[in-house]
């Protein structure tokens, strides 16, 4: 399921594709920063606090989503333009996939850290606190988008990706919450089994 060299090769391949002739260099950097930070962070903690295979695979998936969005900008990912036309919508909803991942992946990371550090016991309270973390992370990311927009003006329009949708911020946070809930439903037992092996 998880092989470090395959993981690294996949990450670098997607990164190199993403950074080659992106739609906008400034937007690429803004969108790719979380994925760029992930690699050195995982490398630094790999021996001291190795993650479960599930967590590593999900992080790679999230980085891939970020790199694709950074390459095209979230409002112009071609596949989601086609989906929008097929569904009779004018809005490219790739950003909603990104915010779904913003809950789907961090909730597993939060769960892993909380359980391994014995901050909470497995069960409902653990899930509740992990979902609270996801919502806090999502809200903080929306604040970062706001600060970047204030600091850079019109050049941050592609980074914001609102596409004229007045409820964009709220729907982004909702997607993160739904992503977190979905991940807990799908991977709770698998994650528990992997945690038992790693600890």
């Amino acid at each position: 399921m998880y092989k470090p060299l395959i993981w690294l090769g996949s990450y670098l391949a997607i990164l190199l594709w993403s950074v080659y002739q992106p739609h906008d260099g400034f937007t690429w950097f803004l969108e790719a920063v979380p994925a760029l930070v992930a690699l050195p962070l995982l490398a630094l903690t790999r021996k001291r606090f190795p993650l479960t295979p599930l967590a590593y695979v999900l992080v790679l998936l999230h980085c891939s989503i970020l790199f694709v969005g950074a390459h095209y900008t979230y409002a112009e990912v071609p596949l989601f333009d086609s989906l929008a036309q097929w569904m009779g919508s004018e809005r490219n909803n790739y950003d909603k996939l990104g915010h779904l991942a913003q809950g789907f992946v961090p909730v597993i990371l939060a769960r892993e850290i909380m359980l391994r550090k014995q901050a909470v016991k497995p069960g409902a309270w653990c899930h509740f606190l992990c979902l609270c973390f996801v919502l806090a992370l999502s809200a903080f990311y929306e604040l970062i988008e706001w600060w970047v927009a204030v600091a850079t003006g019109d050049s941050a329009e592609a980074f914001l990706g609102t596409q004229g949708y007045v409820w964009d911020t709220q729907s982004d946070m909702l997607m993160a919450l739904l992503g977190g809930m979905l991940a807990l439903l799908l991977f709770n037992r698998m994650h528990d089994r992997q945690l038992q092996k790693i600890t």
Side-chain angles (χ1 to χ4, degrees), residues 1-4 6-7 52-58 187 190 194:
M1 181 180 184
Y2 164 69
K3 303 286 184 190
I6 293 174
W7 191 102
T52 56
L54 174 64
Y56 281 120
V57 169
L58 290 178
F187 294 126
M190 178 194 292
Q194 292 188 6

Side-chain angles (χ1 to χ4, degrees), residues 138-150:
S138 181
F140 184 63
Y141 192 80
E142 296 300 324
L143 289 174
I144 291 172
E145 286 185 344
W146 172 42
W147 297 331
V148 169
V150 169

